[in-house]
Amino acid sequence: MAAYDPDNIFAKILKGEVPCHKLYEDADTLAFLDIMPRTEGHTLVITKESAPDLFGISPQGLGKLMAVVQALAPKIKTAVGADGVLIQQFNGAAAGQTVFHLHVHILPIKDGVPLRPQETGMAEPDALAMTAEKIRASL
Ligand code: 5GP
């Protein structure tokens, strides 16, 4: 299992040291917009446990995380007018993981609109704020 760095960017978001466009929070999870969205409404759901990846969290914690993914994904899909939802989760740099704090991607997909590549560039802050508002209104 990868070591957990308590100063990773998502740990800083959890501590309130780095801002995010928050969509949902409970005792165990936080959901916010990805800063480099691959689709409109690209959301990250993160655990509040100090787990670097899927293998560093308890089964109970994983269950809570996935329950939030299951609850949010259809609402986000509807909010942005998508046709399907891709759920992605990477473990290890070789698999495409870049932030070593367990998170699940919710990617709303519109018919005929391809996913932008990973790390596609930062979104305009205003565009992210508008998307976040639209999604929050539907939760
Ligand atoms: P991974 O490849 O590790 O599964 O994905 C990490 C994701 O975190 C990427 O999609 C990247 O765009 C996103 N990300 C990296 N830094 C930040 C940040 O500071 N804020 C937000 N909201 N997302 C970030």
Side-chain angles (χ1 to χ4, degrees):
M1 189 181 82
Y4 184 78
D5 172 7
D7 285 326
N8 75 73
I9 191 73
F10 292 172
K12 287 184 174 175
I13 287 175
L14 278 175
K15 286 184 270 186
E17 293 171 7
V18 169
C20 70
H21 291 282
K22 189 196 292 191
L23 302 177
Y24 173 84
E25 182 169 19
D26 64 26
D28 307 293
T29 59
L30 175 68
F32 53 89
L33 288 181
D34 196 297
I35 207 167
M36 291 179 264
R38 301 181 64 194
T39 66
E40 186 191 5
H42 181 173
T43 297
L44 301 170
V45 186
I46 74 172
T47 179
K48 290 187 177 178
E49 284 189 40
S50 299
D53 57 25
L54 187 73
F55 313 112
I57 192 170
S58 63
Q60 294 78 8
L62 182 60
K64 287 175 181 170
L65 181 69
M66 292 311 294
V68 171
V69 172
Q70 184 186 42
L72 290 184
K75 293 177 179 166
I76 294 170
K77 173 186 161 216
T78 302
V80 301
D83 303 295
V85 191
L86 175 65
I87 306 296
Q88 280 188 326
Q89 195 277 314
F90 305 104
N91 298 284
Q97 186 176 11
T98 59
V99 178
F100 295 87
H101 178 112
L102 174 59
H103 56 279
V104 177
H105 297 257
I106 297 176
L107 294 146
I109 307 288
K110 295 180 184 169
D111 279 335
V113 181
L115 268 185
R116 289 188 284 269
Q118 267 184 292
E119 304 201 326
T120 190
M122 304 272 262
E124 288 296 324
D126 286 357
L128 279 183
M130 278 176 56
T131 300
E133 214 166 291
K134 196 159 60 172
I135 292 172
R136 282 193 293 261
S138 75
L139 296 182

